[in-house]
Amino acid sequence: MEDKVLLGHGSGGTMMKRIIDEVFFEAYAGDELRRGDDAAVLPGLAEGERLAFSTDSFVVSPHFFPGGDIGRLAICGTVNDIATSGARPLYLSCGFILEEGYPIEDLRRICASMAEAAREAGVALVTGDTKVVNRGHGDGVFINTSGVGVIPAGVDLGGAKCQPGDAVLVSGTLGDHGITIMSCRESLSFTADVKSDAAPLNHLIADVLAAAPDVRCFRDPTRGGLASTLNELADQSQVDFLVDEESIPVRDAVRGACDMLGYDPLQVANEGKMVCVVPAAQAEAALAAMHGSSYGADAAIIGEIAEARADRGPKVYIRNAFGGRRILDMLVGEQLPRIC
Amino acid sequence: MEDKVLLGHGSGGTMMKRIIDEVFFEAYAGDELRRGDDAAVLPGLAEGERLAFSTDSFVVSPHFFPGGDIGRLAICGTVNDIATSGARPLYLSCGFILEEGYPIEDLRRICASMAEAAREAGVALVTGDTKVVNRGHGDGVFINTSGVGVIPAGVDLGGAKCQPGDAVLVSGTLGDHGITIMSCRESLSFTADVKSDAAPLNHLIADVLAAAPDVRCFRDPTRGGLASTLNELADQSQVDFLVDEESIPVRDAVRGACDMLGYDPLQVANEGKMVCVVPAAQAEAALAAMHGSSYGADAAIIGEIAEARADRGPKVYIRNAFGGRRILDMLVGEQLPRIC
């Protein structure tokens, strides 16, 4: 095997067969991927089950960072998007866009990381594609993962289902991923103990659904952070969100970095956190389920939902310990490009 | 709306919402895409149905060419990959990787072309993702499409199912797409009347399956052309392919271009052609079905399958009009990068 990606690895010929066999199959192939047809063939569904289908491309820079790498992100991101629908994520596709000259050794590390994350999530990579672009027309490696999951009968979640009186939970500390990436790029020393939270949350979501069956919706606060996620949900459901600043978990190192750099941790990206809206009566049960999960130790109830004020439309308000209240807006423009 | 792609269009904030609403939704959104959750929710399957799932990324250069553009390719490529399994393609995802500075007007043209191809194929774009990379780290636009289809009960195709005695068909002329792209890049005048064959072939495949229910497999000869496709099938089924040079449809202009440039038209990419292997008794019925389809006017039976010789392993042989026979190999290295 060559030690760098060459244009021929995307040719459709013998060199492409080699990178597929020796890099991708070596890392993560099961029977369906190895079968080598152009479409994976997957089992049917049981009565009442529906499909969940999602896609995400990953262009994060750098490719490797504390707590993860582009491969782990690519698996966790799509697993989490599928899981937000209440589905069990089952099958992923993987499309690579490689730049000529990229080290094969780095690609192997990324693929090994994808395999490990897929095992943890319990999903199989069943179909894939590889393209190579000339040097200077890409950035080493971009990865698209798409995925399919099965929504059990009776589960029907959505961002438009939030109701006044519902409780709002978050599964852990905010801003870790974004600050980690920023810190890598800028070589900041004061964030030495911060690492990306990239994690598959499908098991956590399944536990919450079992404990709190009337969950309205899940959403992972990735680009744009909690602020964007809550504003999206407020808009979809036409309700107000009221969250308490004091109750929102943020690590000291992340808060310190944000203070120094002028970022709002609530607008910084996360890759292993889940926002959950649930009827107030099931909020404690949902919280206990999160606390029982390996990725939910710092979960908290952070606020509640109210009717939108007729004169202002749906908004997200954040309250501080002194009773003050301000509007939490969506990010405008770009804070930190290529975070995922 | 801005007239160029900015980093903020990938931010997760208000600018990203704007490009989604004003460019992508404007071109092709239906109810499921507009719902705005992270995963599309799709209906269940009937008893005995299975899922087909496929992915493809598109990095073709240039983005616009006679007969199509990167958007049309992105829809047709994934529709065709799904259809090769005998599935009805139904739902596609779309992931854009945009480069800062790319003209929004070009993006709109691409999206309009995707919408038109999706309508023709009868598929819906139900979920998507948008990333923006800094200037100099991409190449305007890369598109990943993934897709899901439904395989009817009783349909079970695959590249490993070819048997000695089977007939081999191709649905039309070979090499048109690759020569078109090459011609665009090099501004060759002698290929003025050649254009890309990019087309959705799911309806053609459905017609062939109805006429010839024992089809072994379909495969679209994209990168690496017919030569790679037949070698892949020979390898999967451990059989020999014997094809007749005279019977393989190639346009004169394509043949002329290949002669001048030293290409073999059988190794040049196609984006709207299908190879089909079928029991000999159903070959004429399959051919008639192709001829009846809008994309199959030049379809032909091009050869047959034989047992592999024990001393050589599975091979593809090409016979000329004088009785000569040579081995048709897979492409080695890269002939023409970024063809799709």
Side-chain angles (χ1 to χ4, degrees), chain B:
Chain B
M1 182 72 204
E2 299 76 11
D3 66 349
K4 299 218 180 276
V5 170
L6 304 176
L7 283 172
H9 289 129
S11 64
T14 55
M15 287 180 66
M16 191 163 98
K17 184 165 168 15
R18 196 156 65 234
I19 197 173
I20 291 172
D21 286 347
E22 297 188 17
V23 179
F24 304 131
F25 283 10
E26 185 72 20
Y28 51 60
D31 290 346
E32 188 52 37
L33 189 63
R34 276 184 204 278
R35 200 164 54 86
D37 284 328
D38 282 343
V41 175
L42 309 174
L45 304 180
E47 177 84 25
E49 291 179 339
R50 285 155 304 146
L51 280 177
F53 178 35
S54 192
T55 192
D56 228 335
S57 298
F58 296 85
V59 301
V60 65
S61 172
H63 297 141
F64 301 94
F65 43 81
D69 53 60
I70 190 172
R72 182 168 175 84
L73 277 196
I75 299 294
C76 297
T78 293
V79 161
N80 292 346
D81 280 347
I82 297 168
T84 58
S85 68
R88 280 177 293 122
L90 292 174
Y91 307 107
L92 298 192
S93 66
C94 178
F96 284 99
I97 299 176
L98 303 173
E99 184 188 6
E100 186 187 11
Y102 192 68
I104 293 285
E105 193 49 41
D106 286 356
L107 188 59
R108 286 191 197 277
R109 270 179 75 192
I110 290 167
C111 291
S113 173
M114 293 176 75
E116 190 188 324
R119 267 193 303 274
E120 186 185 343
V123 297
L125 285 151
V126 294
T127 189
D129 178 59
T130 310
K131 294 293 190 305
V132 180
V133 296
N134 344 45
R135 203 182 289 264
H137 293 269
D139 200 6
V141 55
F142 298 143
I143 305 177
N144 176 282
T145 49
S146 300
V148 173
V150 173
I151 305 174
V155 172
D156 186 19
L157 311 180
K161 293 178 185 288
C162 305
Q163 295 177 22
D166 287 349
V168 183
L169 285 76
V170 65
S171 66
T173 57
L174 294 179
D176 302 62
H177 177 73
I179 292 300
T180 301
I181 297 298
M182 198 271 311
S183 170
C184 283
R185 287 197 205 145
E186 309 296 335
S187 306
L188 301 179
S189 57
F190 57 86
T191 53
D193 56 344
V194 179
K195 61 179 191 181
S196 171
D197 56 350
L201 299 178
N202 51 323
H203 304 309
L204 177 145
I205 283 181
D207 292 348
V208 171
L209 272 176
D214 296 321
V215 164
R216 313 294 190 194
C217 67
F218 295 100
R219 183 148 313 166
D220 53 338
T222 56
R223 284 177 287 173
L226 183 71
S228 280
T229 292
L230 296 186
N231 275 286
E232 283 170 21
L233 297 177
D235 191 52
Q236 280 184 275
S237 290
Q238 295 288 300
V239 293
D240 279 353
F241 276 67
L242 312 174
V243 297
D244 297 300
E245 195 152 32
E246 297 286 301
S247 65
I248 300 173
V250 179
R251 286 184 208 285
D252 289 343
V254 169
R255 195 180 300 280
C258 285
D259 283 350
M260 281 193 58
L261 298 160
Y263 291 166
D264 181 342
L266 307 189
Q267 292 186 330
V268 174
N270 310 278
E271 292 291 339
K273 295 294 148 43
M274 202 50 72
V275 171
C276 172
V277 176
V278 60
Q282 295 179 10
E284 288 297 337
L287 183 66
M290 285 185 181
H291 285 158
S293 155
S294 50
Y295 294 117
D298 299 314
I301 298 172
I302 61 168
E304 73 266 356
I305 290 175
E307 284 194 31
R309 285 174 45 170
D311 57 333
R312 304 180 122 186
K315 296 279 177 213
V316 179
Y317 298 95
I318 183 157
R319 297 175 294 209
N320 65 27
F322 312 106
R325 168 191 283 215
R326 64 183 169 91
I327 289 177
L328 181 65
D329 266 329
M330 254 182 150
L331 188 62
V332 181
E334 177 59 298
Q335 187 182 60
L336 204 55
R338 299 184 60 186
I339 202 79
C340 62

